[in-house]
Amino acid sequence: MKIPKIIGHRGACGYAPENTLESIKTAAEIGTAWVELDVKLTKDSVPIIFHDDTLDRTTNGHGPVADMLYKDIEDLDAGSWYADAFATAKIPTLEEAIDEILKSGMGLNLEIKPCPGREIETAEAAMDILSRIWDDPEKLLISSFQHVSIETARDLAPEWKRALLIDEPLQNWLELADYLDVATINIDGRDQSLTQDLVETYIESGRQVLAYTINDPFRAKLLYSWGVDGVFSDVPDVIEQVLNTRH
Ligand code: G3P
Ligand code: MG
């Protein structure tokens, strides 16, 4: 699998409201090769593209996503919080988001981001939709901080590539990476305690390393110099400039 050096984070969420079709379209327009999106379930088990466990930060709705039926959230305004120009943006279903990505030809890192207690169900629902409509396994990476979600993805579609997300020191990362049979280790590249040695240890396990969420070109350059294969960025075009300069 050829993972690109830059993956648009939540679409291209530096330029459009995160995890919306507008954000996916913007990523495609600025030439992003892949996007990362977060998937979780509504109360009635519809997989939607959404980051937080509650609606409040990024919509005009309120309360936990896990308590809402899809019909109660489908018409929410998911764009005005970002800018008035995006007032018509909605929360997309996973299916709508995949349709948009397939139209653009981009690849997808789908992060399974379950509401607490729905780790298995969320992975099952996402894998069900992916298995019906995703076409190219070379352009798909499934990730999660929730190990049981990755385990479920592995059991349902062992042939699709997976990633272990790490946000704090994980003593048993190698054991987990082997057990979950992941192709990449996705680390917090902003963590100032991250060292080249640790990145090299991950690489020595035979896996690719991706780092989130990098919006500073100098940080990206340092991480690439340590052997990091790709970075997630809200502003993929800004990071792209690093790849085109020698110094
Ligand atoms: O998948 C990379 C990154 O998105 C993980 O953190 O909180 O932005 O979903 P978060
Ligand atoms: Mg994410």
Side-chain angles (χ1 to χ4, degrees):
M1 183 174 47
K2 193 167 176 343
I3 296 177
K5 293 189 89 67
I6 305 165
I7 298 175
H9 186 234
R10 307 180 195 173
C13 73
Y15 302 119
E18 63 183 58
N19 284 329
T20 61
L21 297 183
E22 286 74 0
S23 191
I24 297 169
K25 284 179 200 164
T26 302
E29 279 161 18
I30 63 175
T32 313
W34 282 41
V35 287
E36 184 261 7
L37 300 172
D38 305 291
V39 65
K40 60 190 345 107
L41 295 182
T42 59
K43 186 178 184 184
D44 49 341
S45 298
V46 177
I48 56 167
I49 301 300
F50 204 76
H51 181 274
D52 296 1
D53 284 340
T54 55
L55 293 165
D56 302 59
R57 181 179 62 89
T58 59
T59 76
N60 61 341
H62 304 287
V65 174
D67 292 349
M68 310 297 284
L69 297 172
Y70 177 64
K71 72 175 178 51
D72 296 327
I73 60 135
E74 65 179 330
D75 293 323
L76 290 179
D77 169 354
S80 289
W81 70 275
Y82 183 88
D84 290 343
F86 291 105
T88 56
K90 306 288 181 221
I91 300 172
T93 63
L94 173 59
E95 200 156 350
E96 288 166 342
I98 292 176
D99 284 346
E100 194 60 50
I101 292 169
L102 292 177
K103 265 193 258 168
S104 72
M106 290 189 294
L108 170 64
N109 170 207
L110 187 64
E111 180 187 342
I112 300 171
K113 190 79 126 185
C115 293
R118 306 199 73 188
E119 292 78 11
I120 294 177
E121 260 183 287
T122 307
E124 285 174 345
M127 299 303 282
D128 179 51
I129 288 179
L130 283 168
S131 67
R132 284 189 283 116
I133 60 177
W134 191 263
D135 53 359
D136 184 354
E138 293 299 307
K139 285 182 165 182
L140 177 65
L141 181 67
I142 295 156
S143 63
S144 190
F145 288 107
Q146 305 304 322
H147 306 149
V148 71
S149 298
I150 307 175
E151 184 184 37
T152 303
R154 180 202 64 188
D155 292 348
L156 290 173
E159 69 282 11
W160 285 346
K161 296 288 193 297
R162 289 167 296 280
L164 176 64
L165 269 162
I166 298 180
D167 60 355
E168 53 192 31
L170 200 56
Q171 296 309 321
N172 63 339
W173 69 269
L174 184 54
E175 197 186 325
L176 274 168
D178 285 344
Y179 173 71
L180 298 169
D181 191 15
V182 296
T184 75
I185 307 284
N186 297 5
I187 59 174
D188 185 348
R190 301 161 299 192
D191 178 359
Q192 293 301 315
S193 66
L194 182 69
T195 60
Q196 182 167 5
D197 274 358
L198 185 55
V199 169
E200 285 171 358
T201 308
Y202 292 137
I203 295 168
E204 281 158 18
S205 79
R207 297 177 171 92
Q208 289 180 283
V209 176
L210 306 178
Y212 60 88
T213 301
I214 309 301
N215 297 329
D216 172 1
F218 296 102
R219 184 71 180 167
K221 204 162 184 171
L222 180 69
L223 292 168
Y224 289 136
S225 77
W226 288 355
V228 165
D229 295 283
V231 302
F232 298 90
S233 182
D234 302 335
V235 285
D237 54 340
V238 171
I239 304 298
E240 182 77 42
Q241 290 166 15
V242 173
L243 298 176
N244 300 329
T245 56
R246 287 190 168 275
H247 304 289

